[in-house]
Amino acid sequence: MLVRLAPEFELRRDVVPWLAERGCAAALDTSENSSALYIVNVERNGKIIYTWKGNQRNTHIGLYDLQTKQNEHLYVFEKDLHIISCSVNNERTLLAVSFCQYTEEERASQVLQSVSKYLTLLIEVHPINNVRVLKAVDSSVRVQFLYPVEGRNSSTESCLLLVSEDKYIEQFDIRVVAEEEHKVVIQKSGQLPRAKVVDDLVWAQWDMMEQRLFYIVPKESKSTLRCVQFYPDENFNSILESHLDIAVNDTQLKLVNFGYDYCQDQDVASKSLNLQVFTSKAGGLCVCCSLASDIPHEIMYSIYFLHKDYYVAAYLPGQFLHLLNIQHPDLLCYSLFLTGEDARIDTLQNCSIRSPWVSTALDCEAGSLYDVSISDSALLQFLQKSKRDYERLAALHCALLYFQHTEDLEMQIIRWISENMSTCHSFDPIQEFIIASLYCRMCPETQNLDKLLPYTSLHDWIGVVPGVICATDIISLPVLEFQNSKGFWEKLSSNLESVKYAEPHLHYQSNVLRREWRNLSEEREERRTTVYLRNIFENAKKVLSHLDTWDSEARLVPLFEEEDYQQQLLMGLMVAQLKDHLMRHLQYVGKKKIDQIVLDYVANLLNLVHRIMKEVWRRYQLHSCVFCFDEKGSAGEFAVFHIMSRILEAANGMCMPLPPGFHTLHLGLGVRCLPLHTLLHYIDNGVLQLTETCVRKLLKDLDDTEQNEKLKFSIVMRLPEALGQKVRQYWNHPINANLIAQKYVKLLLEKLGNRQCSRPIPERLSVPVEFLPLNYLANMLTEIENQGVHPCEKQDHVNVRFVEETALKHTMTLLGLKYS
């Protein structure tokens, strides 16, 4: 199962044995009366309040502490009551209880006509002492104590919220005093001070962890979501207002997380709005709403993002499980839409599910509280068995963004990528792995970095998800009203401001980088000494130096062992352009911090490519023999060559630098694994790039058999001029000498242009021959050399004499004569 439930609390496991020890048989007989034992509330400090029927059908209230794993008896009513709502204050000195005094059948009798149906009491329980009536009405009431911030010492003041079925909420202020023998009693004997919090609401949700009240008031065709924040000093104020395109015509009040009376809640749920708000500490807020559909067998729900967050789960038992990536909602392919067996959650098979706080689920009917998470092993299994691109892409992003990066997780993902590169048609798994991994690693570095770094290689996605129709609308930004507020509201405000003033596309793109790299790559060598280029290569040097500090062990794959002008140029340019991009939008961060972020980003990028290479190297058990050209490559080497070709394709698509030595290693594997015509085809089409290290080793190490001569000649003929001058000298062969001489003559003549020799041609023959055409050519070339034109300054042995001797050797070889 993709969603994993870890039971934090279970009535059967954590409470029933304790009741059995107390000799309470009635609560254990759940088959006869399923309402004998049930949860009524979960408090902020992890205390779970439950109720059960005693042997004499009296009604007990107990408390379980998630931290200490201990049960405590709070109070008992000497009659059979149906508890609707219950809450205990932080000091456990006061208990608020709301219950129904009789059933509808009992009300039919004349005796009960004048008795209120619902009673709300405030009880002193340290020790059990006075009882005060707060409400005696015919409409249901829910109660909830406010909790101070964590770590605060015991207080003599408590605040209690009363939520009435008549669509209003009020706050009671209660002061207590300590008397003899540690007895705590309510201070005032008269009416308790109270204040109206909100009126005319149709929906309300209590956020116990952050002490917030979300509620909705209807306004014609639209509704307004508001939030009241309660503070430790007993004050509260309205802090948020957001207009939602939801028409609410409910006559009954729907309450979320104000205690759990699942019998009544299910009756209300069938007639009212199904909506819940989720928040995150990073300043994210979303509203999830399920709307009734007029079309049979169609389920419709909406999610309103006031700021993007991670995943929201939408679950309909027996039908579907949707894991919605609301951090990146732009494309449907980043969310998981599961049906059938993949959507099954064994322990949640009924509809009485609540979520008291983030990543928890409370099954009110079963009396169980679960910690909810996505199973990494199940997600990887789903990734491996999926055949559809949208499922693979969603699972891959979920694995990379949701879980902490571990070596084992990366290894399994890389193995899957190496096995499925050719079966993903609408996206490149290598690109997605690298970009999403970088995004996940770097975004925690600083606030708003997630809006500036790329998270995918896709610009759009035109696929469809069977059975799912999605429509996206832009909603109006909410209004925030607060002063000097810290924490969540400050972060939400910052997030909303960044949305308000953001440019359409803030994520870094490589278009300018690609153009600049191409221009600089094509410049002449004498122009590569400018200050600008020196700074670029200094950037690359910093990246490689930074990378060396991470991995001081001997590298399994022979990378980072040589200089690569083109790749160092690209990584230096990426550092410069990414730095400029971040400086424009993160001016408050500071140059030093941005420098570090950029170096980390590019170094991590190179490290991820090395990580892929290391895993495939291990998998196919390769070693340094890939640079020995005297034998053909193995099937494992061919597989690694194919993976490296796909890495190169992915890098070219994103204009992403590769570790120095990558092209040398790739070419070495190509020479070992490919037939000559295929090898040359790969070189001509830019898949394989000729590097000095590999070509020099090839020319020196291979003997001059007929087959090897063909290979060497084909390689030498394709060398760029600058590289050819460096490496041709390593092949001591007539063919190579001819090529060198031809190049020399061509370059001399090109240098000469249309100039004519003004002096008489001297008699200068290094080899006494009577071949007039050669004599004339040699004399002319000597004259050009005397004028200071020498195109091969780095090769002193290449001169006119070398040309003469090479020409004579070649001619005599063609004539079948021996040259001495």
Side-chain angles (χ1 to χ4, degrees), residues 308-319:
K308 300 172 184 178
D309 208 340
Y310 287 96
Y311 283 87
V312 167
Y315 178 56
L316 183 61
Q319 299 297 324

Side-chain angles (χ1 to χ4, degrees), residues 588-718:
Y588 57 89
V589 172
K591 182 180 181 299
K592 186 175 181 181
K593 177 66 174 177
I594 288 179
D595 287 346
Q596 186 64 43
I597 291 172
V598 171
L599 284 178
D600 284 348
Y601 188 88
V602 181
N604 266 303
L605 189 157
L606 297 173
N607 195 46
L608 282 168
V609 177
H610 178 248
R611 184 84 172 90
I612 297 173
M613 291 295 301
K614 186 164 66 173
E615 289 304 327
V616 297
W617 213 258
R618 284 173 177 167
R619 181 180 179 188
Y620 293 103
Q621 300 179 342
L622 300 195
H623 45 84
S624 60
C625 71
V626 292
F627 281 119
C628 300
F629 299 116
D630 55 354
E631 61 183 38
K632 286 296 179 183
S634 64
E637 290 175 22
F638 184 81
V640 173
F641 172 79
H642 177 64
I643 293 171
M644 290 188 72
S645 299
R646 293 302 299 265
I647 293 173
L648 178 62
E649 182 182 352
N652 290 340
M654 299 187 295
C655 197
M656 162 184 97
L658 291 167
F662 181 92
H663 289 295
T664 294
L665 183 58
H666 193 208
L667 179 61
L669 286 170
V671 172
R672 286 175 60 89
C673 297
L674 300 177
L676 181 59
H677 68 280
T678 307
L679 175 70
L680 299 179
H681 178 72
Y682 275 43
I683 293 173
D684 293 340
N685 286 277
V687 177
L688 289 172
Q689 297 186 23
L690 299 174
T691 67
E692 180 181 351
T693 302
C694 189
V695 173
R696 184 175 65 239
K697 187 171 181 61
L698 184 146
L699 295 177
K700 290 174 63 176
D701 292 0
L702 281 181
D703 56 16
D704 290 327
T705 63
E706 182 179 355
Q707 185 176 3
N708 288 346
E709 282 185 356
K710 286 183 179 180
L711 171 62
K712 290 182 177 181
F713 178 75
S714 301
I715 295 293
V716 167
M717 287 296 291
R718 286 167 167 80

Side-chain angles (χ1 to χ4, degrees), residues 243-478:
H243 298 290
L244 304 178
D245 190 14
I246 301 175
V248 180
N249 299 313
D250 291 336
T251 56
Q252 278 188 289
L253 175 64
K254 173 67 183 294
L255 299 175
V256 178
N257 292 337
F258 276 101
Y260 307 100
D261 179 11
Y262 76 89
C263 293
Q264 186 183 46
D265 286 349
Q266 283 193 303
D267 179 59
V268 173
S270 63
K271 307 171 185 175
S272 61
L273 182 66
N274 184 8
L275 184 146
Q276 187 157 356
V277 175
F278 294 97
T279 63
S280 73
K281 292 185 179 298
L285 187 150
C286 72
V287 182
C288 305
C289 175
S290 177
L291 304 172
S293 174
D294 297 330
I295 303 174
H297 310 295
E298 179 181 88
I299 302 296
M300 184 184 302
Y301 66 87
S302 301
I303 296 181
Y304 298 83
F305 311 108
L306 298 190
H307 180 64
K308 300 172 184 178
D309 208 340
Y310 287 96
Y311 283 87
V312 167
Y315 178 56
L316 183 61
Q319 299 297 324
F320 63 77
L321 170 64
H322 294 173
L323 293 176
L324 304 168
N325 185 337
I326 60 171
Q327 188 173 19
H328 304 130
D330 309 326
L331 303 180
L332 209 59
C333 55
Y334 296 130
S335 297
L336 284 160
F337 299 93
L338 308 176
T339 58
E341 190 65 20
D342 293 325
R344 184 173 58 87
I345 305 178
D346 282 339
T347 49
L348 295 181
Q349 290 302 313
N350 61 74
C351 293
S352 58
I353 309 300
R354 303 289 182 271
S355 182
W357 59 82
V358 174
S359 300
T360 60
L362 176 64
D363 187 335
C364 304
E365 188 173 343
S368 300
L369 179 69
Y370 302 98
D371 179 60
V372 183
S373 61
I374 301 174
S375 168
D376 54 352
S377 59
L379 183 64
L380 288 173
Q381 289 175 9
F382 179 80
L383 173 65
Q384 290 159 2
K385 75 174 186 177
S386 295
K387 303 301 180 186
R388 302 182 181 96
D389 273 9
Y390 69 85
E391 291 179 339
R392 291 170 163 180
L393 186 57
L396 179 61
H397 267 260
C398 184
L400 294 172
L401 296 177
Y402 183 82
F403 297 108
Q404 293 294 323
H405 275 248
T406 64
E407 188 169 334
D408 182 62
L409 175 67
E410 281 190 348
M411 180 190 68
Q412 293 187 64
I413 292 177
I414 291 170
R415 174 161 294 191
W416 174 83
I417 290 173
S418 66
E419 294 172 349
N420 293 273
M421 289 185 297
S422 301
T423 61
C424 297
H425 305 293
S426 60
F427 72 100
D428 186 323
I430 296 176
Q431 290 183 346
E432 289 302 304
F433 170 73
I434 292 173
I435 293 182
S437 296
L438 285 172
Y439 185 86
C440 179
R441 292 181 181 189
M442 299 304 302
C443 286
E445 291 274 342
T446 189
Q447 190 177 359
N448 292 327
L449 197 57
D450 60 321
K451 303 176 183 66
L452 303 175
L453 296 180
Y455 60 87
T456 180
S457 62
L458 298 180
H459 299 293
D460 54 27
W461 188 74
I462 57 175
V464 295
V465 178
V468 175
I469 299 174
C470 179
T472 303
D473 294 314
I474 303 298
I475 63 173
S476 58
L477 290 176

Side-chain angles (χ1 to χ4, degrees), residues 151-216:
R152 182 179 173 184
N153 295 329
S154 297
S155 173
T156 59
E157 301 176 0
S158 293
C159 294
L160 177 69
L161 295 182
L162 260 67
V163 186
S164 172
E165 190 179 22
D166 293 333
K167 301 182 179 180
Y168 68 87
I169 299 176
E170 54 187 351
Q171 174 181 312
F172 285 79
D173 295 328
I174 308 160
R175 297 181 183 273
V176 296
V177 293
E179 295 184 346
E180 70 281 358
E181 298 179 359
H182 307 290
K183 180 185 294 187
V184 176
V185 298
I186 299 172
Q187 184 177 19
K188 292 184 178 179
S189 56
Q191 290 289 326
L192 295 174
R194 58 181 174 179
K196 186 68 66 71
V197 177
V198 62
D199 248 333
D200 300 324
L201 69 162
V202 294
W203 173 92
Q205 174 184 322
W206 178 241
D207 181 347
M208 71 181 75
M209 301 304 293
E210 303 299 333
Q211 302 289 281
R212 304 185 194 115
L213 169 68
F214 293 99
Y215 66 96
I216 288 178

